[in-house]
């Protein structure tokens, strides 16, 4: 089977080359062609012999994406729809955002999502599979090429649940981190999860240095299970236990995401419960004005309520900020990604 050469860490690629009878240092040369010189074909790797280039072509693909569509928001945010060229016609979305500290790409980790969160537009997309490492990495390469910029930050907040595709996401992070590949440090990568508890323990034991974000959205099990079915499998108590273990092991702060929906989870009683839940923890709260989706039952909190909620948390000693909404006019904001919109 032809394998995508971008799926491999440098060490793995060395092994792959040895398997086909080549010297391992060739892997470093290939990495340079792909990640420094950004070539898009084996033929362009001109310091490799023609024979070797042929051999590479027979054993590997190079995994380039095609841009099917690109939308640009009034705030400069760009949403990309990619043809991932997997022979099955699968398309994925990624978003490029500009902040004062640089450019951030919001990557997808799966084709579709199994989590079924009620407020999220990715729910309802047919789940196909997790993305391979090379397909995660290629989202960044393709955007850097198209926008002619260098990305400084990555957030795993596009379509999919990264911890439901754990091994591929970890491998992608290794490639993203590698100074010979994308050279983006772990501290510039955020991974957001709906709360797959066993994998949070794995991240802790691995001492992962990326920022971990937990999609909390509610402090009581009944409401959270209604919003996020995964809560029935891993309820809040178990989730918080895993988070505490993670903080203890890594000494890193966790970011809790809380999407505010009018009259659902946005009154001061909810804020007070959140204070009680997070008191004494190395935590930060990221408040997200909920983005309304088609046929969704949740509506956005008023600005007044959002500010009141934030101020209450801050007064009680919990650091909370309101996430700036980017790209909502092109359906590129949190929870709006849904490839069908673009296919129709
Ligand atoms: N599966 C991961 C990453 C996906 S989305 C997770 O659940 O964390 C990234 C963030 O956007 C999550 O916090 C998610 O809960 C949030 N989100 C999803 N739909 C939203 C919506 N309609 N409005 C605001 N935030 C939303």
């Amino acid at each position: 089977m032809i394998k995508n050469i971008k799926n491999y860490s440098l060490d793995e690629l060395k092994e792959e080359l040895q398997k086909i009878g080549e010297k391992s240092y060739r892997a470093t040369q290939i990495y340079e062609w792909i990640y420094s010189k950004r070539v898009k074909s084996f033929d362009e790797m001109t310091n490799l012999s023609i024979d070797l280039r042929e051999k590479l072509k027979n054993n590997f693909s190079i995994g380039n994406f095609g841009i099917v569509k690109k939308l640009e928001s009034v705030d400069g945010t760009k949403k990309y729809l990619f043809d991932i060229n997997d022979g099955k016609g699968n398309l994925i979305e990624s978003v490029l955002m500009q902040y004062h500290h640089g450019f951030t790409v919001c990557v997808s980790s799966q084709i579709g999502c199994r989590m079924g969160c009620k407020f999220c537009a990715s729910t309802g997309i047919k789940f196909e599979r997790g993305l391979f490492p090379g397909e995660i990495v290629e989202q960044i390469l393709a955007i850097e090429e198209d926008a002619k910029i260098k990305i400084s930050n990555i957030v795993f907040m596009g379509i999919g649940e990264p911890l439901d595709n754990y091994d591929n996401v970890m491998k992608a992070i290794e490639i993203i981190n590698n100074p010979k590949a994308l050279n983006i440090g772990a501290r510039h990568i955020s991974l957001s999860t709906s709360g797959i508890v066993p994998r949070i323990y794995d991240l802790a034991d691995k001492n992962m240095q990326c920022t971990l974000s937990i999609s909390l959205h509610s402090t009581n099990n009944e409401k959270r299970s209604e919003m996020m079915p995964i809560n029935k499998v891993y309820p809040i108590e178990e989730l918080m236990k895993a988070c505490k273990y993670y903080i203890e092991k890594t000494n890193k702060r966790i970011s809790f995401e809380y999407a505010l929906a009018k009259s659902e989870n946005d009154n001061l009683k909810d804020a007070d419960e959140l204070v009680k839940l997070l008191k004494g923890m190395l935590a930060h709260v990221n408040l997200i004005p909920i983005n309304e989706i088609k046929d969704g039952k949740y509506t956005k909190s008023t600005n007044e309520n959002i500010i009141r909620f934030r101020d209450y948390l801050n007064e009680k000693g919990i650091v909370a900020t309101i996430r700036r909404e980017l790209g909502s006019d092109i359906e590129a904001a949190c929870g709006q990604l849904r490839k069908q919109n673009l296919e129709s």
Side-chain angles (χ1 to χ4, degrees), residues 113 115 117 119-121 156-162 192-195 213-217 228 257-259 288-293 323 334-336:
C113 186
M115 296 300 113
C117 299
F119 46 84
C120 181
F156 281 84
M157 296 189 186
I159 294 173
E161 166 51 54
S192 179
T193 179
S194 56
S213 296
I214 304 284
S215 299
L216 187 62
H217 306 321
M228 308 176 68
E257 293 158 290
Y258 193 100
I288 316 173
I290 209 162
N291 287 300
E292 294 170 26
I293 57 162
R323 183 179 292 172
C334 293
Q336 289 189 319

